[in-house]
Amino acid sequence: MARGELRIYLGAAPGVGKTYTMLEEARRRAERGTDVVIGFVETHGRIHTAAMIGDLETVARKPITYRGADFTEMDLDAILARRPELAVVDELAHTNVPGRRNAKRWQDVQELLDAGISVLSTVNMQHLESLNDVVARITGVEQRETVPDAVVRTAEQVELVDMTPEALRRRMAHGNIYQSEKIDAALSNYFRAGNLTALRELALLWLADKVDDQLDKYRADHRIDATWETRERVVVALTGGREGGTLIRRAARIAARNKGADLLAVHVARNDGLAGADPAELARQRVVAESLGGTYHQVVGADVPQALLDFARGVNATQIVLGASSRGRLARLLTAGVGVTTTALSGSIDVHLVTHERAGQGRLARRVSPALSWSRQITGFALVLLGLPALTLVLDVGLTNDILIFLAAVVGVALVGGLGPALLAAVAGSLLLNYYFTPPLGRFTIAARDNLVALLVFVIVALAVSWVVDTAARKTRQAARASAEAQTLFTIAGGVIRGERLLERLRETFGLESVTLLEDGRVSATVGVPCTDPRTADAEVIVDDRHTLLLKGHPLDASDRRIVEAFAAQAALALRQERLTAEAAAAKPLAEADKMRTALLAAVSHDLRTPLAGAKAAVAGLLSNEVHFGPEDRRELLETADQSLDRLDRLVANLLDMSRLQAGALGVTAIDIGLEEVVPRALDDLGGNVVSRLPPDLPAVRADPGLLERILVNVIGNALRYSPPGRPPTIAGRAVGDRVELRVIDHGPGIPAEDRDKVFQPFQRLGDHDNHTGAGLGLALSRGLTEAMGGSLTPDETPGGGLTMILSLPSDTPSGPSGPARVPTPDGGNASIRVTHPDQGAVR
């Protein structure tokens, strides 16, 4: 069975016309004969959107009751049974009511696609997982319903439904998006022109990335190697030299001139496995590239220009930045160089050759270590001085054979002593053959032309063999050194991943006494006795402008210095990472406080306005001269004003106490008080039907009476609101050691175990379905107040269904151990004595 196709209509903000456009497409498909059904469409009361549904077949929604409230969701099974060609499913990021087979609607859509049913759906930018936090920072509104980017990116088609901010705000003002009472608040908050412009840019850029992925796939499928300049991509080639920082910054400036351009830094490593570029310098340049918003890449190739161009064409680069050649004039005359060759082969890719301090100065000569040890070289010279004269004394088998035997001797010397002794053997052998074996004998002259050719061939072959043998020995030694360096660098990388101390690893690796990292002349990290003066150190490695590594123990070999520089660069990066982590940890409380303030503003925008509006309307009615109210009407208006002001008073008190809790400035006056005194006051304040079964011998608790009453009002109030008719909550208590547990049992819908801790977050109402029952502070405040008094507030499940809140407080009268207390429930059964309420998020 072929998988269905997914088409998504993407919008920068609500109201741009995603659902309307989706329904237009559904009607066009239906008119062309496609079997179309509407699985779920949310019109939000918009007349034109509802009219667009018209006579399209609609699958009835499935009614669901959750926690005493009725909801409707898409009937996934009914759509699967109906098996249309195309299903219209609105709001891809929607969270299903708990208890459904799938937690998210996009998972429902995946089932439809797997069943071969194509789907039209919609999503807004703020619901994309990767942009959720970005949108929250822009708008100040956090969206809890998200959809993974991968789900949207894998859609066969993503169409942007675009609208200018001005046009969208006009639609809002005309009442085409929200109801009239919400228009002013929306225009002055989420729908500000700056917010909409930023969201629109995010949508365009995100969709551009999606289109770019599709273009890459098309080019790969059709084997198109030519560069298509659809988007600026600047590739900067790094050699590992000190000019790399200059090149990266120059490339970054080029990329910055083009909005949305990509910066890619690449180093082409040799494919022979031998050490080449300085790893420490490359590590520093990688940091520079990433700090400028670029990415770092490394490719392997024998032909550097070709490998560089292959990489550039692979990423569809439009420009390449290279450093001007640092080779001398003679070298440039002999070979074209990487820059010239790359330019000649680049085709449509622009190549920039950037000058720098070392351009044209010639490469710094590196000290070349001998390929073989000194003992082997001395042995080789000894073989030349002793072996060749001895060979001359015993040979006389014809010139041709003599030449071959001397050639074998030169090869043997090269194998033993390397290039130097082999060159001496070639020269000495040619002279001995000329003097003793080539007519006229005893003279350095050659009579026959054939003999001259034979001697010249001997010299050339001897020199060539000597060079090959010496080069092979040198590369073998370099390969062993490169392998050791690679192993050491692997150890560095592993240490960084595992969080090991790099300086300790450096001291162990090189057998040092102490290693000290200085930052601006001060000790940042050290292993062993700190060394603060570079003059007393055995080695000094300059990491960057601010960091220096001082080593004590023994001087460093030149070959070891490269690895130490890599260690130093990684140590500086690790130090910087530790500081960033510490700064992030220090900033986390500030971010939480900022989040709290944002949520506070969002909460008070509605929850303060409602009681204020009720009180103002009641008072305005009493003051009006246009209407005459009788005594009963006046009393009703006064009661309305009184209730509204009481609600406002509780809300303001909760907000103030939550602020004090967050600031650590809440005053607590704990005294010994009996629960039989506090619980009745809380019940009187609530006025609901609650069964109290507190034991008469319950010890007093150590608590602040006022705060404890506030806690009970919040907790029991929630239990009352969600208890089913005829089954009121039950309050009971028991002593457990040096604590007293107060528990209230309700038999409401309860809360899933995985969601219980979420409702203790400020401004949280579980499910976010009800935005009119309070600011969502009650349980967060209740837990905070309880913990401030040395107690705890934890949720649990009521046997038989429901939720139990356990309020545990310290007591000055310890009791003996007791088993689980059981009390009768209102329906005649038994339940643990617990404070139970069904919705920990909705508060009074």
Side-chain angles (χ1 to χ4, degrees):
M1 179 186 300
R3 179 178 167 86
E5 294 186 356
L6 175 61
R7 181 170 184 173
I8 295 177
Y9 293 86
L10 178 68
V16 295
K18 302 180 302 300
T19 303
Y20 189 91
T21 306
M22 176 181 65
L23 290 172
E24 279 186 326
E25 176 63 20
R27 295 190 68 83
R28 280 194 294 269
R29 299 268 191 104
E31 291 170 0
R32 293 198 300 265
T34 304
D35 183 13
V36 179
V37 301
I38 293 181
F40 188 97
V41 168
E42 185 59 70
T43 64
H44 296 286
R46 297 165 191 164
I47 299 174
H48 300 295
T49 303
M52 184 56 65
I53 296 176
D55 57 354
L56 290 175
E57 179 183 349
T58 302
V59 176
R61 299 186 185 184
K62 186 173 185 178
I64 298 173
T65 300
Y66 175 68
R67 297 171 65 184
D70 295 328
F71 303 94
T72 58
E73 290 284 8
M74 181 179 73
D75 195 336
L76 176 61
D77 294 327
I79 300 175
L80 291 172
R82 170 65 174 75
R83 298 195 60 79
E85 295 180 66
L86 178 68
V88 179
V89 181
D90 204 4
E91 296 185 352
L92 186 64
H94 171 76
T95 300
N96 292 330
V97 173
R100 300 297 307 279
R101 180 163 72 242
N102 297 315
K104 296 286 188 177
R105 182 165 293 162
W106 64 264
Q107 295 171 321
D108 294 339
V109 169
Q110 294 297 317
E111 284 199 35
L112 295 176
L113 296 174
D114 292 338
I117 302 172
S118 297
V119 175
L120 301 181
S121 191
T122 63
V123 71
N124 277 328
M125 289 305 301
Q126 68 264 29
H127 296 297
L128 293 178
E129 185 66 49
S130 64
L131 296 176
N132 181 258
D133 58 335
V134 179
V135 174
R137 286 195 295 270
I138 293 172
T139 63
V141 178
E142 182 180 358
Q143 295 290 339
R144 295 186 177 88
E145 292 184 328
T146 60
V147 58
D149 287 47
V151 174
V152 184
R153 287 189 180 278
T154 54
E156 281 70 21
Q157 295 184 64
V158 178
E159 180 177 332
L160 179 64
V161 182
D162 190 31
M163 181 175 290
T164 64
E166 294 78 10
L168 184 57
R169 284 173 59 84
R170 281 197 301 270
R171 289 199 67 202
M172 174 69 73
H174 293 160
N176 294 329
I177 300 176
Y178 288 162
Q179 296 177 359
S180 57
E181 64 269 15
K182 297 181 179 180
I183 293 176
D184 292 339
L187 288 175
S188 59
N189 290 282
Y190 194 93
F191 284 82
R192 293 196 300 267
N195 289 358
L196 297 178
T197 301
L199 294 175
R200 189 185 187 202
E201 182 176 14
L202 283 176
L204 291 170
L205 291 175
W206 191 94
L207 190 62
D209 286 336
K210 163 72 175 175
V211 173
D212 200 51
D213 292 340
Q214 292 176 332
L215 178 61
D216 289 343
K217 183 178 184 301
Y218 177 86
R219 295 176 72 243
D221 292 343
H222 292 78
R223 299 181 180 179
I224 300 174
D225 296 327
T227 299
W228 288 5
E229 299 179 4
T230 56
R231 184 173 183 175
E232 288 294 336
R233 286 186 176 85
V234 183
V235 171
V236 53
L238 304 177
T239 63
R242 295 185 178 179
E243 73 280 359
T246 301
L247 300 181
I248 294 172
R249 294 181 181 91
R250 177 61 173 150
R253 290 195 295 272
I254 293 174
R257 296 171 186 166
N258 301 276
K259 187 69 173 179
D262 296 330
L263 173 64
L264 302 92
V266 60
H267 169 66
V268 180
R270 296 163 54 181
N271 64 352
D272 54 11
L274 303 182
D278 185 354
E281 192 64 39
L282 283 176
R284 286 190 285 267
Q285 292 170 11
R286 178 173 188 166
V287 173
V288 173
E290 292 176 349
S291 67
L292 293 173
T295 57
Y296 177 84
H297 308 267
Q298 184 162 318
V299 297
V300 178
D303 187 345
V304 174
Q306 190 61 49
L308 176 61
L309 287 171
D310 288 343
F311 173 81
R313 293 190 179 107
V315 298
N316 203 23
T318 56
Q319 303 185 61
I320 297 177
V321 176
L322 291 164
S325 177
S326 58
R327 302 180 306 153
R329 294 181 180 178
L330 179 60
R332 291 200 299 271
L333 289 175
L334 296 176
T335 58
V338 173
V340 175
T341 305
T342 302
T343 303
L345 301 176
S346 63
S348 60
I349 303 177
D350 297 335
V351 178
H352 303 264
L353 287 177
V354 179
T355 186
H356 50 86
E357 296 178 353
R358 296 178 55 200
Q361 295 181 3
R363 292 181 179 174
L364 298 176
R366 291 190 298 176
R367 181 176 176 268
V368 180
S369 59
L372 300 175
S373 63
W374 285 110
S375 60
R376 289 187 59 176
Q377 293 184 62
I378 292 173
T379 302
F381 283 116
L383 288 176
V384 173
L385 297 177
L386 300 177
L388 292 187
L391 194 61
T392 302
L393 293 176
V394 299
L395 281 182
D396 190 10
V397 291
L399 181 59
T400 302
N401 293 328
D402 293 339
I403 290 175
L404 292 176
I405 293 172
F406 266 87
L407 182 59
V410 172
V411 172
V413 170
L415 291 173
V416 174
L419 182 61
L423 291 177
L424 178 59
V427 174
S430 65
L431 294 176
L432 291 173
L433 285 170
N434 187 3
Y435 192 83
Y436 289 105
F437 301 102
T438 305
L441 303 178
R443 298 172 58 185
F444 291 105
T445 59
I446 301 174
R449 180 179 299 176
D450 293 343
N451 294 338
L452 175 62
V453 172
L455 284 176
L456 289 176
V457 170
F458 166 78
V459 173
I460 294 171
V461 172
L463 292 176
V465 170
S466 302
W467 178 263
V468 169
V469 171
D470 182 78
T471 301
R474 189 181 303 280
K475 289 202 170 187
T476 300
R477 189 170 184 178
Q478 289 179 353
R481 179 72 188 178
S483 177
E485 290 182 357
Q487 182 62 37
T488 305
L489 292 173
F490 175 77
T491 302
I492 296 175
V496 172
I497 294 173
R498 293 187 298 271
E500 296 178 358
R501 298 185 61 187
L502 290 179
L503 298 189
E504 180 65 35
R505 174 71 67 177
L506 177 60
R507 185 176 72 164
E508 293 175 358
T509 302
F510 294 96
L512 300 168
E513 295 178 2
S514 69
V515 180
T516 304
L517 181 64
L518 301 182
E519 182 178 15
D520 297 330
R522 296 187 297 272
V523 176
S524 291
T526 184
V527 175
V529 179
C531 177
T532 58
D533 188 354
R535 292 171 297 183
T536 63
D538 293 308
E540 178 186 8
V541 177
I542 298 176
V543 182
D544 51 36
D545 295 339
R546 300 185 59 193
H547 297 89
T548 303
L549 194 68
L550 301 181
L551 312 176
K552 289 197 69 174
H554 58 77
L556 284 177
D557 294 336
S559 57
D560 292 335
R561 192 173 186 88
R562 286 158 41 95
I563 303 300
V564 173
E565 288 177 348
F567 262 108
Q570 292 299 328
L573 287 175
L575 178 64
R576 188 178 296 113
Q577 184 65 34
E578 287 180 3
R579 290 188 174 172
L580 289 175
T581 302
E583 290 175 1
K588 186 176 180 180
L590 298 177
E592 291 295 333
D594 184 65
K595 184 178 179 181
M596 171 76 68
R597 285 191 293 269
T598 302
L600 173 63
L601 292 175
V604 299
S605 64
H606 173 270
D607 294 293
L608 284 179
R609 186 185 300 118
T610 301
L612 281 174
K616 179 175 176 56
V619 174
L622 291 172
L623 294 176
S624 174
N625 295 323
E626 300 177 359
V627 181
H628 177 72
F629 293 100
E632 293 183 1
D633 294 334
R634 292 178 60 84
R635 181 175 180 81
E636 183 179 352
L637 288 173
L638 289 172
E639 288 177 351
T640 300
D642 182 62
Q643 292 172 1
S644 298
L645 293 175
D646 284 344
R647 179 180 175 186
L648 181 62
D649 179 68
R650 286 194 298 270
L651 177 60
V652 172
N654 282 344
L655 292 172
L656 291 175
D657 282 343
M658 179 57 68
S659 299
R660 294 190 186 102
L661 278 173
Q662 294 291 325
L666 180 68
V668 178
T669 304
I671 62 173
D672 293 335
I673 185 171
L675 291 176
E676 68 277 3
E677 301 178 28
V678 182
V679 171
R681 291 203 299 263
L683 296 179
D684 289 342
D685 190 16
L686 291 169
N689 182 18
V690 179
V691 179
S692 178
R693 300 185 185 277
L694 293 177
D697 57 346
L698 198 64
V701 296
R702 189 76 177 171
D704 185 307
L707 298 183
L708 179 56
E709 184 178 344
R710 296 272 304 283
I711 295 170
L712 293 175
V713 167
N714 281 330
V715 173
I716 302 173
N718 286 333
L720 279 169
R721 178 177 296 122
Y722 293 99
S723 290
R727 302 186 71 184
T730 300
I731 305 176
R734 68 168 180 170
V736 182
D738 60 351
R739 305 184 74 81
V740 171
E741 288 187 354
L742 184 68
R743 310 181 178 211
V744 178
I745 309 158
D746 81 46
H747 297 277
I751 296 176
E754 63 273 12
D755 292 333
R756 288 174 186 165
D757 283 338
K758 295 180 182 178
V759 295
F760 289 105
Q761 300 172 4
F763 311 105
Q764 171 73 29
R765 286 183 292 271
L766 191 63
D768 291 328
H769 294 297
D770 181 7
N771 294 322
H772 306 283
T773 57
L777 276 172
L779 287 179
L781 178 60
S782 297
R783 172 174 275 188
L785 296 177
T786 303
E787 292 176 350
M789 296 187 297
S792 63
L793 182 62
T794 55
D796 200 357
E797 182 180 1
T798 298
L803 186 72
T804 295
M805 294 295 293
I806 306 171
L807 176 62
S808 176
L809 293 169
S811 171
D812 287 341
T813 309
S815 65
S818 60
R822 310 291 291 182
V823 297
T825 59
D827 59 357
N830 288 308
S832 297
I833 305 176
R834 305 181 179 207
V835 179
T836 308
H837 68 80
D839 186 352
Q840 301 161 322
V843 300
R844 293 187 65 86

